[in-house]
Amino acid sequence: MAVALLALLVANSPLAPQYFSVLHAYVGPLSLQHWINDALMALFFLLVGLEIKREMVDGQLSSWPRRLLPGIAAAGGMLVPALIYVAFNLDNPQAIRGWAIPSATDIAFALGVISLLGSRVPASLKVFLAALAIIDDLGAVIIIALFYTSDLSLIDLGGAAAVFTILLVLNRRGVNSLLPYLLLGAILWVLVLRSGIHATIAGVLLALAVPILRTPAKPEASPAFSPLHRLEHVLHKPVAFLIVPIFGFANAGVSFTGVTLATFTEPLSFGVAMGLVLGKLVGVFGAVVLMVRTGLADLPAGASWTQTLGVSLLCGIGFTMSLFIGLLAFDDATLQDRVKYGILSGSLVAGLAGYAVLAMSHRRR
């Protein structure tokens, strides 16, 4: 949060020309901003992939009953925001390409806000939010792979498929060392980058191939024994405290020169903001109401309807993944700025509203 604020301050200060010129300076074959968004963020997606796999195999999403409520809530929380965005931009074919921007939830920001409330929020609700955000991330990864790719190079795509197959063979053969996975993962990243599919997908593919092993004495995966747990542990702090802040600093900076209230009400910006605030609220909370009222699921243990409403609002914080999809959707800098206005305003409103509802629900109880 502090780094995103710093980026906004720098982008609206006398240092703005240097800030933007450094980001667009080339280092080898890519600009600095592309190295951040394509290479560093591949490690972010690797961590996301590892978390998804761990939860699916051995965590809160390891069985269908556990997946049902957060899964349906995540689906509603992706569909309704996209529909709201499209409704605001229906007459603009160029803007329609950004339909997936408000569909993403930033798991780190959302859990960060809910953690400020401590024991005032039931642990089950935090688990629900984490599971929902992880499924949401999986959906965002699939959307990026399917809808935000450029012209495909079949040769490089075939090479990437061959490397991924080798990774799966290593997994099946029980190779426990991380070194061959990481070396092949680097080759996979280069091939995916050249293929036309966004390079960060290589991180997710590598995560799928990293083994999550079980000890004979324990039915659950052993963190000390499992390559997946070891790699996840190594990546957590660098991703949280280095990669995500660098990404935020490189991409949250937007100039407010000439910006008025009317700028935020333009269809693109307003569609993103309303998708995050209203779309996530209706999509997530509506899905939970539907599941509980039909008897297909129960509310998280110890949680009230008001608290569930507050968590649904927090799902409207879409900073990291929404920014990332916005950069993929639009090449035009002006449109990217409009996206950022919508993400920043929508995420701020959703975060403050969610926190307020959760805080008041505790006092009322």
Side-chain angles (χ1 to χ4, degrees), residues 101-107 109-110 136 272 276 280 313-325 343-344 346-348 350-351:
I101 295 169
S103 295
T105 293
D106 192 302
I107 184 171
F109 272 71
D136 188 286
V272 170
L276 289 171
K280 285 289 184 180
L313 281 165
L314 290 185
C315 290
I317 303 175
F319 185 75
T320 306
M321 197 69 83
S322 292
L323 274 178
F324 191 79
I325 294 175
I343 292 172
L344 292 172
S347 296
L348 180 63

Side-chain angles (χ1 to χ4, degrees), residues 110 113-114 117 121 125 129 281 284-285 304-317 350-359 361:
V113 173
I114 205 171
L117 293 156
V121 177
L125 210 53
L129 176 60
L281 173 62
V284 173
F285 190 69
S304 67
W305 281 111
T306 306
Q307 289 173 322
T308 307
L309 181 72
V311 167
S312 300
L313 281 165
L314 290 185
C315 290
I317 303 175
L352 291 174
Y355 180 89
V357 170
L358 288 169
S361 68

Side-chain angles (χ1 to χ4, degrees), residues 137-160:
D137 280 346
L138 177 60
V141 168
I142 293 171
I143 287 172
I144 290 169
L146 293 179
F147 298 102
Y148 294 104
T149 58
S150 54
D151 295 333
L152 296 179
S153 165
L154 295 180
I155 294 176
D156 291 309
L157 200 58

